[in-house]
Amino acid sequence: MAEHENYTSYLAEEYVIQEEPFYLPVGDEIELFEVAYSQNLPVLLKGPTGTGKTRFVEYMSYRLGRPLTKIACHEDLTASDLVGRYLLEGDETRWVDGPLARAVKAGAICYLDEIVEARKDTTVLIHPLTDHRRILPIDKRGEVLEAHDGFQLVVSYNPGYQSALKDLKHSTRQRFMALELTHPPADLEARIVQHESGVSEEMSVALAKLGEKARNLKDHGLQEGVGTRLLIYAGKLIARGIAPRRACQVAVTWALTDDQQVQRSVDEVVNSIFE
Ligand SMILES: Nc1ncnc2c1ncn2[C@@H]1O[C@H](COP(=O)(O)OP(=O)(O)OP(=O)(O)O)[C@@H](O)[C@H]1O
Ligand SMILES: [Mg+2]
C-alpha cells in the first residue's frame, strides 16, 4: 500500500461551520474563550466525556467565524502526521501539508482532542505555537511557518482517565488557559436533552434528574458520571416510542458500566424516576 495515501482525509476534518451549532453555556466560558482568542491565549478544555467540549469548540468557531480543524490524538500520531510529509508520486516527491500546518496557514481553530494520548514528539511540536512566537517549524523542509492571526490552539483533556504514567506534562499544560466544562445543572441539562433528542419537556426534566442522581453514584463504583450525551441517546429512543425504562437501560445503565452491582444501583435510580 502506498504510504499513508490520503492520510489527511481520515486524520482530520477541516471545515467552515455554516449553521450555528446549538450550544447552551453553563458559565462564562463563551466570554472567556472570546478574550482568550483575542489575546492569542491557547485554551485547554477540561472535563468528563459528553459534557459539550467538542460542541463548544464548534460553536466558538462559528461565532468567531474561523474554520475548524479537529484532530483526534492517539499514540501512533506522529509529528509528520500533523505537520506534513513528502509523498512519492511516480518518480517525483511532492510535499503535502498535514492538518496542523494547514490550520496554521488558514488561521483555523485547531482542536487537538484527547491531547494526553499524543506522543511526546507531537506535544513538543505544539509548544512554539503556544508562546508569543506562534510558529510551526517544519524540520523536513527547513521551513518555519508563522501562524495566521486567526489561528488558535485548543486542546481537550479528561482528568478522570489519567494515570500517573499518562498525564500532561507541566511544561505542556502550563502553556494553556484552562476552561473546565462540568456536567450542567439539571435545568440546563433538561433543555439540552430536549433540544437534541426531541422528547417532551416533562421527559427531558426526568432524564436530567436521572443524570443528576446517577452522578451521585460515583462513590459506589461508577468511574465516570453519566454524560449529557447518554441522556440524549435515551431521549432519542424514548422520542421514537421505546419505553423509558428500557431506553434508559440500554442507553444509560449498560452503556455506563459492566459491573452488575453498579448496574443494579443505576437501574434503581431509573426505576425510581420512571415508575
Ligand atoms: N452545553 C451544551 N449545549 C448544547 N449541547 C450540549 C452541551 N453539552 C453537551 N451537549 C450535547 O451533548 C453531546 C455530547 O457533547 P460533546 O460531544 O461536545 O462532548 P465532549 O465533551 O466533547 O465529549 P468527549 O470527551 O467524549 O469527546 C453533544 O452532541 C450535544 O448534543
Ligand atoms: Mg469531544
Side-chain angles (χ1 to χ4, degrees), residues 30-159:
I30 295 178
E31 186 192 346
L32 284 171
F33 192 102
E34 274 182 337
V35 177
Y37 182 79
S38 72
Q39 298 300 307
N40 286 338
L41 298 181
V43 173
L44 167 72
L45 292 181
K46 272 164 82 161
T49 183
T51 45
K53 297 184 292 296
T54 299
R55 179 63 66 91
F56 176 59
V57 182
E58 288 165 352
Y59 173 75
M60 291 313 299
S61 133
Y62 172 85
R63 195 176 158 113
L64 295 164
R66 302 307 315 171
L68 179 64
T69 300
K70 286 194 274 186
I71 301 171
C73 296
H74 54 80
E75 53 192 22
D76 294 328
L77 189 74
T78 64
S80 315
D81 288 333
L82 289 173
V83 169
R85 56 163 57 85
Y86 286 104
L87 292 185
L88 199 60
E89 265 179 12
D91 297 338
E92 295 188 3
T93 54
R94 184 170 62 93
W95 175 263
V96 181
D97 277 339
L100 183 60
R102 292 203 308 268
V104 163
K105 285 181 183 172
I109 292 180
C110 184
Y111 182 48
L112 293 169
D113 210 352
E114 291 291 341
I115 181 76
V116 275
E117 299 297 333
R119 287 161 28 143
K120 291 231 163 55
D121 60 332
T122 44
T123 41
V124 168
L125 189 70
I126 61 176
H127 284 185
L129 275 172
T130 57
D131 56 35
H132 65 281
R133 293 172 292 168
R134 287 174 44 98
I135 52 167
L136 179 65
I138 304 190
D139 292 344
K140 279 187 190 154
R141 308 192 87 192
E143 190 185 356
V144 172
L145 292 183
E146 272 180 40
H148 181 292
D149 278 348
F151 176 78
Q152 160 90 333
L153 194 63
V154 183
V155 301
S156 79
Y157 167 71
N158 183 336

